[in-house]
Amino acid sequence: MSNRSLIGLDDIREFMKIQRLIAIIVLSISTLFLCAFTDDSMVQLSHGDNHNVNVTYHNAQLKNDILTVTASYDSSGEAFQIGQDIVVSTDPNFETPLKITNCRVVDENYIYQFNIEDSSKIDTIYIRPPVLYKAVETVPVKVPLMEGQIVQRSIEATDFKTAGLDWFLIDSISVEEASETLFLVRINITSDAEELPRLARIHTEGMELGGLTVLYFDEEDIFTKGEFLYYIEGDKEEDIVSKLEKSFLVVENALIRMDETKTRSSLNVKALPVAVEEGQ
């Protein structure tokens, strides 16, 4: 008698159940794998070894000629600042970038809106990553507050690529009346540095005044100029001018541009395919 194995009907049914279960598991794993690599478009920006910000475009929707792009900025709790928002275009060369008409933050997601003319012809959008900066502490720089003053980086500022060299120029200083007892001091600066001044303060007569910093960038997202704005109480403009002549400008911190290190693009965004511009 031969040693053949006998397989009964119950065995066949059990075998088929196992096969179906394996197929379901394989399909589930495959789906998860595809989702992990195709659901979103992501770009990673970093400074140093331990500070990364992942910018992920979760959704792009087009309705009634209004394009809505949702992006999240994950920095793992590290502080960063947006120098320039994302740039969205309907052409791959960004010759006709769309103007942001609205931007709001909901649950740490940035929701950008753009108006599009004749949206029926749009099937793909192109996104240029944002310009992000990391806040760093540096050795304070103190200079007389006067027009034509060149501010140099501290030679001890190890975070700067060009420590000790020129940083920015105080181009002009103006005083404007804001109310009967309040004056606006506007300090215009120009620069071509990658590092941005942060927390610029006026030291005057034993007082320290904090203000608002407004920075401007050119078409290539390069920092070119900025303004330091301060409100000072006083009765006469002449008194404010006299006080400023004896004052100092102190810059205590800086913002350093984060570099793009990794780009991943996808065509499987919910409503519109998204193409992420490759790093320069």
Side-chain angles (χ1 to χ4, degrees), residues 91-228:
D91 69 273
N93 297 320
F94 292 85
E95 295 177 353
T96 55
L98 303 177
K99 183 179 180 180
I100 296 176
T101 57
N102 187 31
C103 177
R104 65 185 191 275
V105 182
V106 179
D107 295 332
E108 300 183 357
N109 289 322
Y110 284 71
I111 303 176
Y112 300 95
Q113 287 189 331
F114 311 81
N115 288 337
I116 296 184
E117 296 181 3
D118 196 8
S119 60
S120 61
K121 299 180 180 180
I122 305 301
D123 58 4
T124 302
I125 61 173
Y126 302 86
I127 299 180
R128 177 177 295 165
V131 177
L132 302 184
Y133 288 86
K134 172 187 176 182
V136 295
E137 294 184 2
T138 184
V139 179
V141 177
K142 183 177 182 180
V143 297
L145 182 56
M146 56 185 296
E147 294 184 358
Q149 176 71 49
I150 296 176
V151 180
Q152 294 183 325
R153 304 166 178 84
S154 170
I155 60 175
E156 302 175 35
T158 55
D159 280 312
F160 286 157
K161 297 179 181 179
T162 51
L165 300 182
D166 293 350
W167 190 0
F168 61 87
L169 169 72
I170 299 179
D171 196 50
S172 65
I173 303 172
S174 63
V175 179
E176 307 168 18
E177 185 176 352
S179 67
E180 293 184 358
T181 59
L182 203 62
F183 291 85
L184 171 62
V185 176
R186 188 187 306 271
I187 302 174
N188 291 293
I189 66 170
T190 55
S191 176
D192 59 359
E194 293 185 13
E195 302 90 3
L196 311 183
R198 181 173 180 262
L199 298 181
R201 303 180 185 275
I202 292 179
H203 286 209
T204 176
E205 298 181 352
M207 297 178 57
E208 182 179 291
L209 300 175
L212 175 66
T213 300
V214 182
L215 305 175
Y216 301 96
F217 301 80
D218 63 13
E219 295 81 4
E220 298 180 356
D221 299 330
I222 297 176
F223 167 54
T224 57
K225 60 183 180 179
E227 293 179 322
F228 302 143

Side-chain angles (χ1 to χ4, degrees), residues 12-65:
I12 295 176
R13 288 173 178 170
E14 188 65 23
F15 178 79
M16 293 179 65
K17 288 181 181 180
I18 294 174
Q19 289 291 92
R20 284 197 298 268
L21 180 59
I22 293 174
I24 292 173
I25 293 174
V26 171
L27 179 60
S28 299
I29 293 175
S30 300
T31 302
L32 288 174
F33 182 85
L34 291 174
C35 288
F37 286 91
T38 63
D39 274 354
D40 300 318
S41 295
M42 184 269 284
V43 60
Q44 184 181 84
L45 300 104
S46 68
H47 176 76
D49 298 328
N50 301 317
H51 191 174
N52 297 323
V53 177
N54 294 330
V55 184
T56 305
Y57 312 112
H58 296 287
N59 188 13
Q61 294 182 341
L62 184 58
K63 184 178 181 181
N64 298 329
D65 292 335

Side-chain angles (χ1 to χ4, degrees), residues 43-45 127-129 259-264 276-280:
V43 60
Q44 184 181 84
L45 300 104
I127 299 180
R128 177 177 295 165
D259 298 320
E260 184 177 337
T261 59
K262 180 182 178 183
T263 300
R264 175 163 60 84
V276 179
E277 185 187 49
E278 295 292 337
Q280 300 297 320

